[in-house]
Amino acid sequence: MSMLPGFETPSPRRARRAEPPAPSEALRDKALDIHRRLCGVYHCPIPYFHSLDPLSELISSLLSHRTRNADSGRAFKALRARWPDWEAVEAAPTEEIEATIRGVTWPELKAPRIKAVLSAIRERQGSLNLDFLSEMSVEDARAWLQAIPGIGPKTSAAVLSFSTLRMPALPVDSHHHRVAQRTGLIGKSVDVGPSHPILRAQLPADWSAQALYDNHEVLMLHGQKVCFHHKPACDRCVLLELCPTGQARMQR
């Protein structure tokens, strides 16, 4: 199945994938060391950046794909200002939604996707409300969400972690993923989606929602502020002695 630009690979209903191999003790220790060092720099615990209900968080996450946070934030606020609730958005003409969110990347794709996702939730749940996910395990809640086309691992984890559900799920964005690859937590060929269970397995199973949120946030912030896509600032990186990529760059 091809993937529309700006969206995660759809996850139709199917048997769950096998769990990734258990990480070595050395890799677990490295993941914890990276977490401790970055928390020292970015000051854990990190406050949640907002408190949206899970359905609102889902819409926010769909808008954010391949889009700057400021632009997706404006589009989300524009939707909330234009229509009183998500039921009204579901009923609105697609072209009006597209015009309202025109500041995001690919609004012509995201407008029909938002309507389709809302309709899928209503069809499966009977109403536009995702609060019931709190009664599920993290694994089952993510599977429920990912059964809806267009919702992938990153979005399902974001809904559970960032929303008022505050469930212990680990989202992985492109910045988080880049730091994990360069430090050797995941292989160079591991894409963002498949990296989710691998990186989660490296962290303690009993970690709280706050601890997993901190882990995502500190790796993401490090990718934004130090471990840039182009010309990473390895000379001022607190992870340099743990990072084979940085050490190779410094020897050039």
Side-chain angles (χ1 to χ4, degrees), residues 33-162:
D33 198 359
I34 287 172
H35 179 86
R36 284 192 293 266
R37 292 180 186 222
L38 293 180
C39 273
V41 174
Y42 301 108
H43 310 297
C44 298
I46 295 176
Y48 285 88
F49 57 90
H50 59 209
S51 294
L52 297 176
D53 68 86
L55 180 56
S56 297
E57 183 60 54
L58 173 57
I59 302 302
S60 175
S61 294
L62 293 174
L63 290 170
S64 72
H65 292 170
R66 304 292 181 88
T67 300
R68 294 189 313 137
N69 289 341
D71 293 332
S72 63
R74 279 192 290 269
F76 180 83
K77 290 177 181 177
L79 282 177
R80 298 304 298 262
R82 174 68 177 80
W83 289 284
D85 50 39
W86 298 121
E87 286 80 1
V89 174
E90 181 191 16
T94 302
E95 58 271 19
E96 290 187 23
I97 299 174
E98 180 181 340
T100 303
I101 64 171
R102 61 185 178 275
V104 303
T105 307
W106 297 304
E108 72 280 5
L109 299 178
K110 291 180 179 178
R113 174 59 66 200
I114 287 170
K115 283 179 64 73
V117 166
L118 290 171
S119 295
I121 292 170
R122 181 183 295 282
E123 179 181 352
R124 296 184 66 201
Q125 178 61 14
S127 65
L128 292 184
N129 189 305
L130 293 177
D131 291 347
F132 70 93
L133 294 174
S134 66
E135 301 172 4
M136 297 182 174
S137 68
V138 168
E139 181 185 26
D140 287 344
R142 293 187 67 183
W144 195 96
L145 289 167
Q146 288 176 219
I148 298 173
I151 299 179
K154 176 187 171 184
T155 298
S156 69
V159 169
L160 302 186
S161 174
F162 300 160

